[in-house]
Amino acid sequence: MQAVVYDGCVAFALRPTVGRYFHCRICVSSMQVDDLTISEYLMFKEKLLEIDLEPFNSHFPKLTRPNSIGEGVKFLNRHLSSRLFASNNADFHPIFDFLLTLSYNGQSLMLNDRIKNAQEMGRALDKADNFLNDHDPETPIEEVAIGLQDMGFERGWGNTVGRAQNTMHLLADIMQACDPETLQAFLGRLPMGFKVVILSPHGFFGQQNVLGKPDTGGQVVYILDQVRALEREMLARIWQQGLTGVEPQILVVTRLIPEAQGTSCDQRLEHISGTHHAQILRVPFRDDNGILQHWVSRFDVWPYLERFAVDAGGEIRAELGGRPDLIIGNYSDGNLVASLLSFHLNVTQCTIAHALEKTKYPDADVNWKKLDEDYHFAAQFTADVIAMNHSDFIITSTFQEIAGTQHTLGQYEDHQSFTMPGLYRIVHGIDVFDPKFNIVSPGADSDIYFSYDQADKRLTSLHPEIEELLFGKEEAPLAKGVLKDPSKPIIFSMARLDHVKNLTGLAEWFGGNKRLRELCNLVIVGGVVDPEQTTDREEKDQCKKMHIIIEEYGLQGELRWLVAQKNPVRNGEIYRYVADKRGAFVQPALYEAFGLTVVEAMSCGLPVFATICGGPAEIVVDKKSGFNIDPYHGSQAAETMADFFEESTKNPERWLQVSQGSLARVQEKYTWTLYADRLMTLSRIYSFWKYVSDLERRETRRYLQMFYILMMRPLIAKVEKQQAEERARKQQA
Ligand code: UDP
Ligand code: LCN
């Protein structure tokens, strides 16, 4: 619930359940209660520019039940199938037209010009069916390809007679009476989406030596794992489609950073290991002074993005030999660039937020002026609203990312309506009932993060260096604190050292709980130990704070703090080493959008204690596959940990139970194989949807374009001005 007091009245925004709002006003003098529209409610907060996307979407189909939020594709299939059903038997049929568009380097993949319209296609399908009936279903497609071509069918129907015939049956069924399952099965088989662009502009994006830097965490891990899984899925589909000479191409597009700090971020092209057809393409940030040489925080990238989109667009076309079939944006900057590119190239756009900052920083909208100098949230939130509305589909890692829980707001839901006083108010920013939302959860690389009890796969040769790392005497600048009693189980945590990750909070909870300190050691991996070694303001602050906490609580001997560990393979073995010693992983964040470390630790069989604020609350089933902890009640969290370790000491079965619960949970829900299959199917369905509904979406896009020009550009100019003033101040000093 939110309340605003104004002019002798109190206005309430009540949220009886997920995604549902009710607004009212009570006049204090008369005690009269009036219902309010959302717009009237927001008028209480300020009287400013109002952005409303609702009128553009009012004729679009919407989900109606909160529990179907995040299953947009199911709903869309139902809607599309009834729409196709209505257009049945006509000469025009959207599927026929769509199939004509499917090609690879100018070569048609489904139909050729022997078939002129949908009715002819229907007759040709019958003819082809009779023809294929005379062949064994296992017959390779090459043996019948010429016969099929004479009837108007090209090579993309399947790799064997049986599969091609089956695909044709699906189409014939759709043309007769379209049902959602058949439509999904048919669209899922179509040969398309061979050229994929994945945008992640802010650095550092690389394959080595980058993890744990201020802005380089899960997004990089996610994208690299995603690329490998997608390539496997694309190759499997191309093979099943019976296509020869067709190769997938995946480009991860990021910024080139000349001052690369020992990483490969100054190289234009880098092959992605574990793939055959995927590369990182780096394009520099430019401004009127030329190429930007150094890393800048993700909060400061806004002035560079429009030019980056233009430059990257040219380089992408050159690398791919044409335009991509699908553009996937990541995080606010990537999603804005994806919107600009997909608008210009008319390509299907997928949005992945990873984390929407508005939810991470409570009341960041109303307090935007206070925060703007450091974070430029006005530009970021504006970019987010533009991208989420421009995108054809949005994938999220959890349900809560869209619509929260009974008691917490979802990240997208948080953009339904909000206000930045003095700037503008959003009346309908995004609708969580929009069918563009789909939950597609990531996993953890199973070659790296596997259970501690898989003895044959264990990297025992790394144990001496891991023991040195955990129990050695090395201190600053690489570590702080030497553990007095290495025999105790370890509470382990690893994250970027920023305010929201709350590693300093964990140190405080541990410091304040005598029982826990007696039972365990605390090992924290994060950031830098010497504050002079970072230029990031939050990392510097947190680093200094950690030193103070260690001193205040006298944690030397019980806590070991290690700088960011950038080798994922060794990190995997560290999780398992901690599991060998019957330890646990803690994710103490004040807000965690998803939380890959939670999935990594669970995949290694570690019991986890993870924040209830955000995605981990959904990943972890409390007391079965780990424990939910409230970062705003740290002493209670520390008690929960102490109870668990005490119980496990008395009854080792308890630890095993939770560890097995962890493993089972990730195997069931969080794997990259499931992810890739689903993303490839979604990209086909939403591309088809874009094709049949593009005219209707055009109005929204025009409105967004106006919003970009009238609001986003001035905000970017403001950031630019502030950065120029800062530079001038530094030069003077
Ligand atoms: N990570 C790492 N070394 C570090 C800190 C983090 O390798 O010192 C990795 C971690 O294993 C995980 C990712 O960075 O794969 C962090 O992802 P998560 O989703 O937990 O958080 P994010 O940083 O994306 O907010
Ligand atoms: C960004 C975050 O903040 C994390 O919560 C996610 O796990 C990560 O991206 C990958 O999506």
Side-chain angles (χ1 to χ4, degrees):
M1 187 198 73
Q2 198 179 52
V4 185
V5 182
Y6 175 77
D7 201 17
C9 294
V10 189
F12 293 95
L14 303 165
R15 180 178 177 263
T17 184
V18 164
R20 301 277 186 228
Y21 285 88
F22 171 68
H23 300 90
C24 66
R25 175 183 53 198
I26 302 177
C27 216
V28 178
S29 55
S30 62
M31 288 312 279
Q32 186 179 322
V33 182
D34 297 312
D35 289 353
L36 294 180
T37 62
I38 171 69
S39 173
E40 286 166 337
Y41 171 74
L42 289 173
M43 297 271 282
F44 273 84
K45 297 177 99 177
E46 38 84 41
K47 294 185 189 317
L48 293 161
L49 174 61
E50 196 167 272
I51 305 299
D52 187 355
L53 282 138
E54 176 69 4
F56 299 99
N57 295 325
S58 57
H59 54 287
F60 260 67
K62 291 275 160 60
L63 311 174
T64 47
R65 284 180 300 117
N67 60 4
S68 55
I69 289 174
E71 296 185 354
V73 80
K74 263 197 202 162
F75 174 86
L76 197 60
N77 282 333
R78 277 204 296 279
H79 176 79
L80 275 170
S81 53
S82 55
R83 196 158 155 166
L84 291 182
F85 193 66
S87 63
N88 230 352
N89 294 327
D91 273 355
F92 164 79
H93 196 289
I95 287 238
F96 168 73
D97 277 25
F98 186 63
L99 292 179
L100 282 181
T101 67
L102 301 186
S103 63
Y104 179 74
N105 290 345
Q107 176 76 41
S108 288
L109 292 178
M110 293 302 276
L111 301 176
N112 61 39
D113 55 12
R114 288 195 172 83
I115 298 178
K116 299 276 183 278
N117 55 43
Q119 279 181 3
E120 278 188 30
M121 183 169 77
R123 286 195 291 273
L125 283 172
D126 289 341
K127 217 166 129 192
D129 196 34
N130 287 333
F131 167 65
L132 294 176
N133 273 338
D134 292 339
H135 297 81
D136 186 287
E138 296 303 316
T139 310
I141 201 71
E142 292 78 24
E143 293 183 22
V144 293
I146 293 180
L148 285 177
Q149 214 165 28
D150 284 344
M151 293 174 211
F153 298 104
E154 287 297 321
R155 290 293 296 272
W157 294 82
N159 56 347
T160 60
V161 162
R163 189 163 173 97
Q165 208 173 10
N166 192 256
T167 311
M168 289 180 172
H169 288 166
L170 291 172
L171 178 58
D173 288 350
I174 290 170
M175 295 193 61
Q176 226 173 80
C178 189
D179 72 75
E181 289 75 29
T182 316
L183 182 67
Q184 165 148 343
F186 178 71
L187 293 177
R189 282 182 175 211
L190 293 183
M192 56 190 286
F194 305 115
K195 298 179 182 186
V196 177
V197 163
I198 300 176
L199 285 155
S200 174
H202 72 256
F204 286 89
F205 195 107
Q207 300 183 77
Q208 269 174 1
N209 285 333
V210 297
L211 291 178
K213 280 181 180 284
D215 288 342
T216 317
Q219 184 172 321
V220 171
V221 177
Y222 179 119
I223 293 172
L224 291 173
D225 286 351
Q226 174 197 44
V227 163
R228 293 182 188 111
L230 281 185
E231 187 189 272
R232 275 196 298 276
E233 183 63 30
M234 287 160 95
L235 286 169
R237 286 184 185 222
I238 290 172
W239 179 77
Q240 281 182 332
Q241 284 147 1
L243 298 173
T244 45
V246 173
E247 285 187 347
Q249 273 174 289
I250 307 179
L251 277 185
V252 176
V253 182
T254 187
R255 76 166 278 222
L256 183 144
I257 310 176
E259 289 171 14
Q261 297 183 17
T263 70
S264 55
C265 295
D266 54 355
Q267 289 170 24
R268 180 178 174 273
L269 267 184
E270 181 180 338
H271 172 76
I272 297 184
S273 67
T275 71
H276 295 287
H277 310 281
Q279 312 210 67
I280 302 171
L281 170 66
R282 298 196 181 87
V283 178
F285 277 177
R286 285 191 302 134
D287 60 14
D288 294 344
N289 304 318
I291 289 177
L292 184 70
Q293 300 292 313
H294 54 273
W295 172 82
V296 289
S297 147
R298 68 190 191 279
F299 297 119
D300 296 333
V301 296
W302 305 107
Y304 304 97
L305 295 181
E306 197 170 325
R307 202 179 275 201
F308 177 81
V310 175
D311 294 349
E315 299 223 19
I316 289 167
R317 289 176 79 108
E319 281 305 316
L320 296 180
R323 57 177 201 157
D325 302 312
L326 174 67
I327 296 179
I328 304 176
N330 293 274
Y331 192 66
S332 309
D333 55 347
N335 288 318
L336 185 72
V337 176
S339 305
L340 296 171
L341 278 173
S342 91
F343 181 80
H344 289 297
L345 302 175
N346 193 25
V347 171
T348 305
Q349 179 191 352
C350 168
T351 280
I352 307 178
H354 293 284
L356 287 162
E357 299 291 342
K358 187 171 171 307
T359 331
K360 278 165 88 177
Y361 294 79
D363 297 324
D365 56 345
V366 277
N367 294 323
W368 74 276
K369 274 190 190 153
K370 246 193 293 177
L371 297 166
D372 217 50
E373 198 174 318
D374 282 342
Y375 293 102
H376 310 305
F377 281 149
Q380 182 152 11
F381 300 167
T382 306
D384 285 335
V385 170
I386 290 174
M388 59 183 80
N389 280 285
H390 194 274
S391 186
D392 296 291
F393 67 108
I394 296 177
I395 62 175
T396 70
S397 301
T398 57
F399 177 94
Q400 71 76 37
E401 185 176 340
I402 311 170
T405 63
Q406 207 57 28
H407 310 290
T408 57
L409 269 190
Q411 296 182 58
Y412 282 96
E413 185 187 11
D414 207 10
H415 293 73
Q416 274 188 183
S417 60
F418 63 94
T419 180
M420 290 193 274
L423 193 60
Y424 64 80
R425 91 171 67 92
I426 296 268
V427 177
H428 289 107
I430 187 76
D431 186 347
V432 297
F433 290 93
D434 195 309
K436 65 167 68 173
F437 284 106
N438 285 282
I439 304 163
V440 188
S441 306
D445 183 341
S446 53
D447 289 335
I448 297 180
Y449 306 104
F450 51 86
S451 175
Y452 74 98
D453 62 3
Q454 292 189 24
D456 51 331
K457 285 174 81 179
R458 291 291 301 269
L459 307 172
T460 43
S461 60
L462 294 178
H463 285 197
E465 56 185 278
I466 289 176
E467 279 162 7
E468 184 55 33
L469 209 56
L470 299 177
F471 307 120
K473 309 245 177 305
E474 167 115 43
E475 294 232 40
L478 295 179
K480 176 155 175 98
V482 176
L483 298 177
K484 264 192 324 232
D485 180 359
S487 69
K488 289 184 191 173
I490 289 172
I491 295 178
F492 179 53
S493 194
M494 175 168 71
R496 291 177 291 113
L497 190 59
D498 71 22
H499 163 73
V500 180
K501 291 290 181 190
N502 199 28
L503 290 175
T504 47
L506 173 61
E508 266 185 306
W509 309 343
F510 179 76
N513 192 304
K514 199 161 164 275
R515 206 157 53 102
L516 194 58
R517 287 172 68 166
E518 270 158 21
L519 287 160
C520 314
N521 288 316
L522 175 62
V523 174
I524 287 178
V525 169
V528 288
V529 164
D530 173 3
E532 292 315 311
Q533 294 198 349
T534 180
T535 51
D536 183 80
R537 46 188 178 252
E538 269 198 26
E539 193 175 59
K540 207 185 261 300
D541 284 354
Q542 289 295 303
C543 177
K544 289 179 184 163
K545 189 169 171 192
M546 188 72 92
H547 283 285
I548 295 171
I549 291 166
I550 294 173
E551 291 313 311
E552 256 178 25
Y553 288 92
L555 289 175
Q556 296 86 345
E558 293 161 51
L559 172 148
R560 184 150 171 88
W561 169 24
L562 299 163
V563 295
Q565 296 301 310
K566 297 174 184 169
N567 177 349
V569 172
R570 191 169 72 179
N571 289 349
E573 197 54 33
I574 295 180
Y575 286 119
R576 285 184 291 272
Y577 187 92
V578 175
D580 291 339
K581 305 269 175 217
R582 297 303 184 250
F585 183 79
V586 183
Q587 216 297 359
L590 299 174
Y591 191 86
E592 183 61 64
F594 177 64
L596 281 178
T597 51
V598 176
V599 175
E600 290 165 3
M602 289 170 78
S603 306
C604 294
L606 263 181
V608 294
F609 294 81
T611 179
I612 46 157
C613 299
E618 201 167 314
I619 305 172
V620 175
V621 181
D622 195 31
K623 298 188 182 66
K624 288 201 179 119
S625 47
F627 299 85
N628 300 147
I629 52 168
D630 184 346
Y632 292 96
H633 293 95
S635 45
Q636 200 178 313
E639 280 296 299
T640 310
M641 292 179 222
D643 288 348
F644 172 74
F645 281 106
E646 217 163 63
E647 259 181 74
S648 303
T649 316
K650 285 187 208 137
N651 172 18
E653 277 300 306
R654 179 69 186 130
W655 187 95
L656 284 172
Q657 233 173 28
V658 182
S659 160
Q660 275 151 16
S662 268
L663 290 165
R665 178 78 180 155
V666 285
Q667 267 154 29
E668 178 205 358
K669 292 232 4 173
Y670 302 98
T671 74
W672 283 110
T673 313
L674 288 172
Y675 176 101
D677 174 55
R678 208 159 141 65
L679 181 54
M680 282 291 100
T681 301
L682 292 182
S683 73
R684 283 157 174 76
I685 294 166
Y686 283 92
S687 294
F688 179 59
W689 169 236
K690 182 182 174 73
Y691 183 79
V692 292
S693 67
D694 205 32
L695 271 179
E696 297 154 55
R697 283 276 188 206
R698 234 173 255 176
E699 297 164 3
T700 320
R701 297 204 164 115
R702 287 286 170 215
Y703 184 69
L704 292 171
Q705 198 185 23
M706 189 183 73
F707 188 38
Y708 182 86
I709 293 166
L710 297 180
M711 182 56 71
M712 189 68 198
R713 281 207 182 127
L715 288 171
I716 292 171
K718 199 175 148 218
V719 177
E720 226 168 348
K721 186 165 169 262
Q722 191 204 315
Q723 288 175 351
E725 284 166 5
E726 239 171 68
R727 271 196 303 273
R729 259 201 310 274
K730 274 191 192 145
Q731 265 166 12
Q732 266 175 5

